């Protein structure tokens, strides 16, 4: 089984090449900021391909680890995917996530990472932040914020901008109030080794293999073909990604922060919200205790500094060792943007369509009841919305969720009719609005029913004590 891991990584390379070419040639859906809320933000989704540790056959100076990225022109996207080290057995495509030590629910960074009040889950996000006066555009904001937050200069020839994913609306109060518009930009590292970085205090970097986020079937496209009975066999079913959830106190989003009594009442009546999340297991390929001896280890030292970005500025090796096997969770907006990216990697069958395993690969198990078996090809629509800890709340959300399911069907029809998303329609915004409209109606019904139940109970209790 261990021998299949390099092959799994290598089989993703053609999918990644096709995906990045498609992103570059696809115009994103840009959402204009309303006059009442002009705030905007941008994040950077940074990808790289790590060559196998034993690969030293760099055919040109620009591919050498010691080459200065500022002195050599960056290869084109087509040239990059023809490089020997990119196609070498064991080459590993990875994506960069950040973990911020103390996310603050009141900050822009917390909103963009999908965090907020009411949870203490360890989560990951992308570098980025709010657009400031003087920024030349969303891409400039993403590059500036990446430099300020982790010291990584995306303007160097070591990186090339790929394109932009669809804009997203950041809302609060169950979708009723718009906070800002978020623009995700994709970048690719075109050199075999990453330069050292200098993250802000409390920020650590995690380069996560794409194979940890993609279903097993993506590394074996033949498994998407139907078997003898017209369906994939059990052994071909995807085992990754590993789905979990992040529990958020519903009162933190539905009740005033300083009203303790009201928060307790909402917590009692509504319970908690459970957001779908993908579990990410951290790993550190370089032993931190050996990061200082000999010039022959300089490359390993640089890589260790990148992957354990807090070494120099936090200075706590014991804290890093405790985190060695820590589980982080990808959820909220960060999960939605990641799924937007990964959807481009879905392998196609012989007729050019996404296979059934690819359609439902990114759908968390908890989302299936609301979808009623719909074959979802737009995973970020359904994979970021919460369920509640009380089953009756979920039931009423389903009752009022007809318009939400119509939006999902509409996106499905758009994809099937033209092969791409209808750029004229803000599908994610429509899904957000219709889903949370159903949530608000469901909560009203639940609270009213609970109040009636309590009132009937009090009347019956009074009759039993004083009348009978």
């Amino acid at each position: 089984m261990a021998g299949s891991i390099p092959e799994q990584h290598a089989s993703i390379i053609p999918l990644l090449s096709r995906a990045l070419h498609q992103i570059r040639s696809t115009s994103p859906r840009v959402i204009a900021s309303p006059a009442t809320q002009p705030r905007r933000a941008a994040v950077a989704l940074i990808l790289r391909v790590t060559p196998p540790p034993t690969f030293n056959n760099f055919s040109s100076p620009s591919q050498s680890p010691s080459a200065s990225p500022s002195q050599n022109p960056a290869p084109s996207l087509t040239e990059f995917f023809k490089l020997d080290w990119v196609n070498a057995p064991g080459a590993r495509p990875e994506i960069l996530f950040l973990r911020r030590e103390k996310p603050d629910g009141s900050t822009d960074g917390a909103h963009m990472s999908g965090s907020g009040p009411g949870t203490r889950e360890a989560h990951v996000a992308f570098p980025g932040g709010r657009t400031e006066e003087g920024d030349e555009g969303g891409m400039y904001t993403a590059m500036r914020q990446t430099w300020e937050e982790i010291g990584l200069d995306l303007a160097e020839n070591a990186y090339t901008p790929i394109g932009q994913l669809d804009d997203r609306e950041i809302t609060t109060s169950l979708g009723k109030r718009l906070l800002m518009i978020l623009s995700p930009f994709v970048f690719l590292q075109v050199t075999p080794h990453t330069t050292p970085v200098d993250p802000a205090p409390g920020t650590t970097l995690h380069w996560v293999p794409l194979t940890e986020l993609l279903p097993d079937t993506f590394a074996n496209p033949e498994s998407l073909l139907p078997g003898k009975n017209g369906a994939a066999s059990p052994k071909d079913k995807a085992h990754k990604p590993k789905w979990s959830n992040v529990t958020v106190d519903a009162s933190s989003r539905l009740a005033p922060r300083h009203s303790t009594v009201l928060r307790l009442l909402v917590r009692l009546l509504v319970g908690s919200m459970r957001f779908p999340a993908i579990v990410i297991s951290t790993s550190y390929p370089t032993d931190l205790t050996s990061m200082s001896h000999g010039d022959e280890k300089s490359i390993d030292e640089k890589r260790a500094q990148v992957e354990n970005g807090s070494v120099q500025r936090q200075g706590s090796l014991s804290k890093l060792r405790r985190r060695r096997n820590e589980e982080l969770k990808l959820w909220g907006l960060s999960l939605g943007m990641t799924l937007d990216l990964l959807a481009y990697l879905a392998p196609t069958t012989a007729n050019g369509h996404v296979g059934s395993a690819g359609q439902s690969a990114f759908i968390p198990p908890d989302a299936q009841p609301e979808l009623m078996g719909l074959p979802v090809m737009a995973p970020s629509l359904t994979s970021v919305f919460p369920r509640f800890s009380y089953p009756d709340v979920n039931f009423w959300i389903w009752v009022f969720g007809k318009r939400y399911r119509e939006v999902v069907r509409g996106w499905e029809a758009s994809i099937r009719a033209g092969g791409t998303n209808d750029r004229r329609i803000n599908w994610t915004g429509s899904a957000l609005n219709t889903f949370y409209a159903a949530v608000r109606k469901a909560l009203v019904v639940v609270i009213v029913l609970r109040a009636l139940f309590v009132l009937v109970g009090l009347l019956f209790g009074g009759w039993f004590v004083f009348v009978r």
Side-chain angles (χ1 to χ4, degrees):
M1 193 70 180
S4 65
I5 294 178
E7 297 177 5
Q8 227 180 26
H9 292 308
S11 65
I12 300 300
I13 296 293
L15 298 179
L16 180 62
S17 174
R18 187 197 66 186
L20 296 187
H21 278 92
Q22 188 174 355
I23 292 173
R24 175 163 285 182
S25 62
T26 302
S27 298
R29 192 193 188 286
V30 177
I31 303 175
S33 296
T36 56
Q37 184 51 277
R39 297 175 66 190
R40 299 189 71 91
V43 296
L45 284 66
I46 306 172
L47 299 165
R48 74 178 185 184
V49 177
T50 301
T54 57
F55 189 85
N56 296 311
N57 184 26
F58 296 99
S59 57
S60 68
S62 64
Q63 300 180 41
S64 171
S66 60
S68 173
S70 61
Q71 297 176 354
N72 297 285
S76 67
L77 196 55
T78 301
E79 292 171 342
F80 173 80
F81 283 102
K82 292 181 179 179
L83 296 175
D84 292 340
W85 60 270
V86 174
N87 294 282
R92 186 172 66 184
E94 298 172 330
I95 185 171
L96 177 63
F97 292 108
L98 307 184
R99 179 192 172 179
R100 299 178 177 96
E101 184 69 24
K102 294 180 180 179
D104 181 359
S106 63
T107 64
D108 293 341
H111 289 304
M112 285 179 291
S113 65
S115 69
T119 178
R120 295 184 178 180
E121 300 275 4
H123 68 278
V124 292
F126 295 111
R130 183 179 175 182
T131 298
E132 297 180 357
E133 186 177 356
D135 285 358
E136 300 173 1
M139 181 178 293
Y140 182 92
T141 298
M143 297 171 70
R144 176 183 57 78
Q145 290 282 2
T146 300
W147 169 253
E148 294 177 357
E149 189 168 13
I150 62 176
L152 193 64
D153 189 359
L154 295 175
E156 291 185 351
N157 287 336
Y159 302 91
T160 183
I162 301 300
Q164 179 184 346
L165 302 179
D166 289 351
D167 282 352
R168 285 180 163 268
E169 295 174 331
I170 303 179
T171 62
T172 186
S173 301
L174 293 181
K176 292 186 66 175
R177 186 165 65 94
L178 177 67
L179 295 177
M180 67 181 73
I181 304 298
L182 175 63
S183 301
F185 292 88
V186 181
F187 295 84
L188 174 67
Q189 177 184 306
V190 293
T191 56
H193 294 283
T194 308
T195 55
V197 296
D198 189 21
T203 300
T204 54
L205 279 64
H206 301 278
W207 287 98
V208 177
L210 289 182
T211 51
E212 293 300 313
L213 305 174
L214 292 170
D216 294 338
T217 49
F218 278 34
N220 181 22
E222 288 77 11
S223 65
L224 295 176
L225 300 176
K228 295 181 179 179
N229 298 324
S233 61
K235 68 177 182 180
D236 292 329
K237 291 183 179 180
H239 300 290
K240 292 184 297 186
K242 181 181 178 182
W243 285 100
S244 179
N245 59 70
V246 169
T247 302
V248 176
D249 182 4
S251 66
S252 65
R253 304 200 174 192
L254 301 176
R257 181 179 301 180
H258 303 294
S259 178
T260 304
V261 175
L262 189 57
R263 288 172 68 94
L264 290 175
L265 182 61
V266 171
R267 189 178 304 165
L268 178 64
L269 294 176
V270 178
S272 60
M273 305 167 69
R274 296 175 180 173
F275 288 82
I278 292 179
V279 175
I280 296 176
S281 297
T282 60
S283 61
Y284 296 91
T286 305
D287 186 0
L288 295 178
T289 60
S290 63
M291 289 175 50
S292 58
H293 306 80
D295 293 336
E296 69 277 8
K297 297 183 179 179
S298 60
I299 296 177
D300 288 338
E301 292 175 9
K302 291 180 180 179
R303 178 183 253 174
Q305 290 173 1
V306 171
E307 300 194 354
N308 309 311
S310 61
V311 172
Q312 294 182 349
R313 287 174 72 159
Q314 283 182 302
S316 176
L317 292 179
S318 60
K319 182 182 294 186
L320 289 171
R321 290 193 185 97
R322 287 197 303 269
R323 293 183 185 168
R324 192 178 184 92
N325 297 316
E326 180 183 40
E327 282 191 342
L328 301 178
K329 291 184 177 181
L330 174 64
W331 68 291
L333 278 168
S334 298
L335 174 60
M337 291 183 288
T338 302
L339 294 179
D340 282 347
L341 172 67
L342 297 181
Y344 284 95
L345 276 75
T348 56
T349 56
N351 58 8
H353 296 292
V354 178
S356 59
Q359 292 172 6
S360 59
F362 298 114
I363 305 304
D366 285 350
Q368 297 296 347
E370 283 80 2
L371 296 173
M372 300 180 65
L374 288 175
V376 176
M377 300 172 67
S380 66
L381 265 180
T382 58
S383 299
V384 298
F385 296 136
R387 288 175 61 80
F388 284 76
S389 55
Y390 293 159
D392 60 330
V393 178
N394 297 320
F395 168 76
W396 287 108
I397 293 175
W398 176 84
V399 169
F400 293 112
K402 180 181 178 181
R403 290 189 59 194
Y404 164 67
R405 291 189 290 272
E406 288 176 350
V407 170
V408 176
R409 291 189 180 94
W411 195 334
E412 290 290 315
S414 171
I415 294 176
R416 294 181 186 280
T420 58
N421 174 16
D422 187 343
R423 319 307 296 179
R424 298 168 298 176
I425 301 177
N426 180 8
W427 293 107
T428 54
S430 298
L432 182 76
N433 293 333
T434 54
F435 179 82
Y436 279 118
V439 171
R440 291 192 295 269
K441 292 177 182 177
L443 293 180
V444 170
V445 171
V446 167
I447 292 174
V448 169
L449 290 178
R450 288 193 187 354
L452 290 176
F453 179 80
V454 172
L455 180 60
V456 170
L458 291 175
L459 291 175
F460 178 79
W463 173 83
F464 185 83
V465 172
F466 298 105
V467 177
R468 185 174 176 179

